Amino acid sequence: MTDHELLDLSTSAERTSLAWQRSGLSMIAVGALLIHSHTKLLSGLAGWTLIGTGLLTTALVGPWRYRAVLVRVRSGTSPAAHGVVLLAAAVVCLTALVTVGVVLFP
């Protein structure tokens, strides 16, 4: 493996980590918006859930996925982690449904 190939492999790990960080920061922003714009308990819980999930995603999942992808790509195996993606999608979708319910049925 040449240095150029290794550089390309490590950038895929970096892109994955940055994507998780962007997702986490987006969840924090939407959670803060929910808390700020609505006074109901349900929207507050949805907002705090998004903020907590975003903090965990940014602080823990991003760096963890960076290392995991780097190890897997260097070993020649697939870096896909379907369970992590499904869990994050489930939390965001559930929070979105609660938010829609709060906004449409005040």
Side-chain angles (χ1 to χ4, degrees):
M1 185 176 306
T2 66
D3 288 339
H4 180 67
E5 289 173 339
L6 186 58
L7 179 63
D8 289 342
L9 295 179
S10 64
T11 56
S12 65
E14 184 177 357
R15 286 190 305 267
T16 300
S17 176
L18 289 172
W20 279 104
Q21 289 176 2
R22 279 192 309 272
S23 298
L25 291 173
S26 298
M27 285 187 263
I28 293 168
V30 172
L33 181 65
L34 275 175
I35 291 170
H36 178 71
S37 63
H38 294 284
T39 58
K40 295 187 185 261
L41 177 64
L42 199 53
S43 64
L45 290 174
W48 284 112
T49 301
L50 272 176
I51 288 174
T53 305
L55 287 172
L56 288 174
T57 300
T58 303
L60 299 176
V61 177
W64 171 67
R65 287 300 301 155
Y66 175 82
R67 289 186 298 276
V69 167
L70 197 58
V71 166
R72 287 186 176 186
V73 168
R74 284 181 177 169
S75 69
T77 59
S78 173
H82 302 292
V84 176
V85 173
L86 287 175
L87 179 63
V91 169
V92 171
C93 287
L94 181 63
T95 306
L97 287 174
V98 168
T99 304
V100 168
V102 167
V103 171
L104 291 180
F105 305 106

